[in-house]
Amino acid sequence: MAASSSSSKLLLYLLLVSTLYMAASATNFYQHFDITWGDGRAKILDNGDLLTLNLDQASGSGFQSKNEYLFGKIDMQLKLVPGNSAGTVTAYYLSSNGSNWDEIDFEFLGNLSGDPYILHTNVFSQGKGNREQQFYLWFDPTADFHTYSILWNPQRIIFSVDGTPIREFKNMESAGVPFPKNQPMRIFSSLWNADDWATRGGLVKTDWSQAPFTASYRNFSDENSCVISNGASSSSSCGTNSNTNPWLTEELDSTNQGRLQWVQKNYMIYNYCSDLKRFPQGLPPECNFS
């Protein structure tokens, strides 16, 4: 892909924004998260400033938030498994409980050394997903930490990387499209083996001689969010006043619309709304509004 001068300038701008996001203040993992599985493979280090997940041939590992959220802006810095990560998946997502669950997904599909990770996104509402979009990244996500953000408010869900939006899923209930808005969700993350499908459809298997595989986390923020406590909104963190909680009505301005289009033009590698073979009876209704 031959980059135009405008694309080069935008890429430089995004890299500068990235450095600002790298300077976010740390949040203590002991305070906000519980390690849920992995038999000691997940560790909270540096007095709570760093969390690592490990995967070996016996098991992966994972953690979840102590809090539940009903809308919010969630930021986390991740550094992904370096080297030959083929077959591994690092998942970072919001999810509710039950058979008709809601879910907002980041999944990072590992690859052979030198080949790019695939960033996989999806949105589930009332147990129905099949809304995948996939991207390459414009940097090496294994070389340093980068900020992955989910903005979830009653009007839209925006996925961002280092402050750059890569995907927007709007509330289109008026067109019959379910939207996650009633079920509180927790934050989950896990590192696990998925070599039956993750890399080139399962053709490339996990090289266990490279184990243990490690993904690292820091600088979590839920400052702009509605925390649910005992089934009711916590008055200290949630309110409907958009003046005091502007993220509740946040949308993409023209500058961020341009960044979104730039990412989708240059780095999107799969969009369910373009997959006519998958939907022979017609694309999902939200695709008509994209």
Side-chain angles (χ1 to χ4, degrees):
M1 178 182 66
S4 67
S5 60
S6 59
S7 292
S8 298
K9 289 177 182 177
L10 182 53
L11 180 57
L12 178 60
Y13 175 82
L14 297 179
L15 292 173
L16 290 173
V17 170
S18 168
T19 62
L20 295 177
Y21 270 75
M22 299 284 288
S25 59
T27 300
N28 192 291
F29 280 100
Y30 287 116
Q31 178 183 354
H32 290 277
F33 293 95
D34 292 316
I35 291 172
T36 49
W37 64 284
D39 223 8
R41 292 172 178 82
K43 296 181 173 65
I44 298 176
L45 306 168
D46 296 349
N47 296 316
D49 290 343
L50 179 71
L51 189 152
T52 60
L53 295 182
N54 284 275
L55 164 69
D56 57 32
Q57 198 161 4
S59 178
S61 52
F63 64 89
Q64 71 178 45
S65 63
K66 297 178 186 291
N67 290 326
E68 290 183 293
Y69 304 87
L70 188 62
F71 305 125
K73 184 174 186 291
I74 306 297
D75 298 323
M76 182 81 80
Q77 289 190 339
L78 281 74
K79 182 165 67 172
L80 300 180
V81 174
N84 180 1
S85 58
T88 71
V89 172
T90 306
Y92 161 56
Y93 60 102
L94 292 164
S95 184
S96 64
N97 295 319
S99 58
N100 292 317
W101 78 100
D102 295 338
E103 189 169 309
I104 304 170
D105 291 344
F106 277 114
E107 287 188 306
F108 303 89
L109 312 185
N111 218 329
L112 293 167
S113 298
D115 290 342
Y117 264 79
I118 292 175
L119 171 51
H120 176 101
T121 66
N122 204 352
V123 176
F124 288 77
S125 185
Q126 299 173 25
K128 182 180 183 300
N130 300 322
R131 299 185 177 109
E132 300 91 345
Q133 289 184 356
Q134 294 182 339
F135 306 83
Y136 289 143
L137 294 166
W138 50 93
F139 53 83
D140 179 359
T142 74
D144 212 333
F145 288 89
H146 292 269
T147 303
Y148 301 90
S149 305
I150 295 170
L151 171 67
W152 169 38
N153 66 31
Q155 296 83 36
R156 57 187 46 81
I157 296 163
I158 299 172
F159 298 78
S160 298
V161 179
D162 289 332
T164 297
I166 64 168
R167 178 177 185 179
E168 180 180 26
F169 185 82
K170 294 181 179 178
N171 183 339
M172 289 174 281
E173 290 178 304
S174 60
V177 181
F179 184 84
K181 67 172 189 178
N182 297 316
Q183 300 189 73
M185 295 196 267
R186 291 186 191 274
I187 302 163
F188 295 86
S189 192
S190 58
L191 174 59
W192 50 291
N193 178 46
D195 66 3
D196 56 334
W197 65 270
T199 306
R200 299 180 190 172
L203 293 177
V204 183
K205 301 301 183 183
T206 304
D207 180 0
W208 292 112
S209 71
Q210 304 293 313
F213 302 99
T214 302
S216 303
Y217 302 73
R218 72 179 188 189
N219 291 349
F220 165 74
S221 175
D222 63 353
E223 181 180 354
N224 297 307
S225 65
C226 172
V227 176
I228 301 300
S229 176
N230 298 321
S233 297
S234 167
S235 59
S236 63
S237 65
C238 181
T240 57
N241 187 336
S242 60
N243 291 323
T244 56
N245 292 303
W247 59 269
L248 275 168
T249 55
E250 185 174 336
E251 58 186 316
L252 296 177
D253 59 19
S254 58
T255 299
N256 278 311
Q257 287 282 1
R259 294 177 192 156
L260 175 70
Q261 292 168 10
W262 178 81
V263 170
Q264 296 197 342
K265 177 182 177 182
N266 293 290
Y267 294 98
M268 180 186 283
I269 58 172
Y270 177 80
N271 181 7
Y272 75 109
C273 281
S274 301
D275 195 342
L276 296 174
K277 291 183 178 179
R278 183 179 176 187
F279 301 102
Q281 304 304 316
L283 294 171
E286 65 268 21
C287 296
N288 297 322
F289 299 90
S290 298

